[in-house]
Amino acid sequence: MTIEVTVRRPRVFSGVQPSGTLHLGNYLGALRRWVELQDEKENYFCIVDMHAITMRQDPIELRRSTREVAALYLACGLDPQRSTIFVQSQVRAHAEGCWILNCVTPLGWLERMTQFKTKAKHRESVVLGLLDYPVLQAADILLYDAEEVPVGEDQKQHIELTRNIAQRFNHRFGDTFTLPQAVIPASGARIRALNDPMKKMSKSEAHVRGHAVQLLDTPDVIRAVIRRAVTDSGREIQFSDAQEKAGVNNLLEIYELLTAQRRDVIEEHFAGKGYGMLKKDLAEVVVEALRPIRKHYDALIADSAELDSILAAGADRARAVAEPKIEEIKRKVGFIVPQDTT
Ligand code: AQP
């Protein structure tokens, strides 16, 4: 007698907000790593439009940006046959899961979130959704029983919170959720703003001149933005954790990630050369890395019907996992689930 054992590949969930054009930080901290995982893991990559509306969005622009992010996912190498690619608002279980998790999450946990504090600062009025953002994120991840969440460093605190919410729910209602791990890369976890290395490169600031290289920037724009990148008054081109070297270190990390060269080889290559040479070489490396993405993107975005149908198929696949899970959650908290007799 032979016994067949099916081993489930580790599940991965991650997402990007369609809140602007993606930048090099999103690519190096998230997308590029997702592409590398495609064959070893079972992947769910979401375009989190419900998260995007926690900040004011123009409706027409949001729809455009959602398709743009979808096309960029594909252009960067995500394959809809191997990864489930979908839009969050097309799978209702995310909103339902968020509500139920809201009812086990203490308010104090959310008020402590650094991202909330930063975004709420200096605003006259803050919408409730902004405070609730991490609970929706917890629902996103927990609905798929994802073991791994590949993200940049900025999301570490939110993933910790997801684990705390899951533990609290499991404790109260019995074992329901897998506890996810944030998977944060050693290099590229926090690509810094080119105009201010003390800040992270961020979509919400990408409109500020010189802040970011956007994935759809032309070669000339890329060269100009990198040429203007803030460094320091020194000359040494070496990897360093020192705060005053954050600008140069950022440029070197981008170079390292895109060329896959060892740090000592890179330092040797730039020994005795000035920052101008580093910027010039880096600009060409970035231009060449983004060229095929931009070309592929142009072809994909031209056919929005095809894109929408890829997303609809992705949502069907996501629902096949999320719907049984939300029913399990509803049963646990005491809701009557149609067709249940207990
Ligand atoms: N600078 C970054 N370096 C490395 N990874 C980054 N990520 C974001 N910025 C960097 C990672 O990209 C994924 C998508 O995150 P997001 O949609 O929140 O992107 P964003 O640029 O952070 O977007 P916003 O709208 O501008 O948000 P805020 O204002 O919060 O920065 C995540 O995996 C993220 O870690």
Side-chain angles (χ1 to χ4, degrees), residues 115-160:
Q115 198 178 77
F116 170 71
K117 288 197 273 190
T118 311
K119 289 198 171 180
K121 206 160 51 181
H122 309 309
R123 283 183 182 268
E124 254 175 45
S125 136
V126 172
V127 296
L128 181 56
L130 189 65
L131 179 68
D132 204 25
Y133 181 113
V135 184
L136 178 59
Q137 188 170 355
D140 297 341
I141 298 164
L142 298 176
L143 276 173
Y144 297 86
D145 282 314
E147 281 99 356
E148 297 177 19
V149 189
V151 281
E153 202 177 71
D154 58 321
Q155 293 301 323
K156 196 171 163 190
Q157 195 185 31
H158 287 170
I159 312 304
E160 261 318 300

Side-chain angles (χ1 to χ4, degrees), residues 63-283:
R63 243 187 306 278
R64 192 202 61 74
S65 182
T66 302
R67 291 198 179 100
E68 180 180 290
V69 175
L72 275 171
Y73 275 14
L74 303 175
C76 287
L78 289 181
D79 171 1
Q81 303 304 323
R82 290 183 285 160
S83 294
T84 299
I85 298 168
F86 69 105
V87 178
Q88 186 185 32
S89 63
Q90 294 183 0
V91 180
R92 288 188 186 157
H94 290 248
E96 293 182 316
C98 176
W99 179 254
I100 296 172
L101 296 180
N102 275 337
C103 299
V104 300
T105 306
L107 188 57
W109 287 6
L110 300 179
E111 287 168 335
R112 279 199 289 276
M113 291 295 110
T114 315
Q115 198 178 77
F116 170 71
K117 288 197 273 190
T118 311
K119 289 198 171 180
K121 206 160 51 181
H122 309 309
R123 283 183 182 268
E124 254 175 45
S125 136
V126 172
V127 296
L128 181 56
L130 189 65
L131 179 68
D132 204 25
Y133 181 113
V135 184
L136 178 59
Q137 188 170 355
D140 297 341
I141 298 164
L142 298 176
L143 276 173
Y144 297 86
D145 282 314
E147 281 99 356
E148 297 177 19
V149 189
V151 281
E153 202 177 71
D154 58 321
Q155 293 301 323
K156 196 171 163 190
Q157 195 185 31
H158 287 170
I159 312 304
E160 261 318 300
L161 183 85
T162 298
R163 289 172 64 87
N164 293 340
I165 295 173
Q167 273 169 323
R168 202 173 163 97
F169 190 100
N170 287 350
H171 183 69
R172 192 175 296 176
F173 298 104
D175 208 14
T176 310
F177 295 125
T178 301
L179 298 190
Q181 296 280 357
V183 183
I184 297 173
S187 189
R190 189 171 194 266
I191 300 297
R192 294 160 182 270
L194 297 173
N195 63 344
D196 179 358
M198 291 302 111
K199 287 185 174 170
K200 81 165 186 117
M201 194 178 278
S202 167
K203 255 186 272 116
S204 45
E205 287 201 50
H207 59 278
V208 177
R209 201 159 165 257
H211 175 90
V213 169
Q214 301 190 352
L215 299 190
L216 297 174
D217 279 344
T218 62
D220 284 347
V221 171
I222 296 171
R223 289 185 187 107
V225 170
I226 295 181
R227 194 168 50 238
R228 279 199 299 270
V230 171
T231 47
D232 57 77
S233 55
R235 276 190 61 85
E236 286 286 278
I237 302 183
Q238 282 182 343
F239 288 89
S240 162
D241 289 335
Q243 237 194 31
E244 65 279 12
K245 290 280 166 197
V248 171
N249 192 67
N250 191 40
L251 300 180
L252 283 169
E253 269 196 30
I254 298 172
Y255 189 93
E256 176 194 17
L257 287 161
L258 292 177
T259 61
Q261 287 177 20
R262 284 202 332 260
R263 290 189 167 199
D264 57 333
V265 173
I266 296 172
E267 285 176 346
E268 199 176 321
H269 172 72
F270 287 113
K273 298 176 183 160
Y275 291 165
M277 186 56 86
L278 168 62
K279 289 177 175 179
K280 197 159 168 289
D281 279 11
L282 176 65

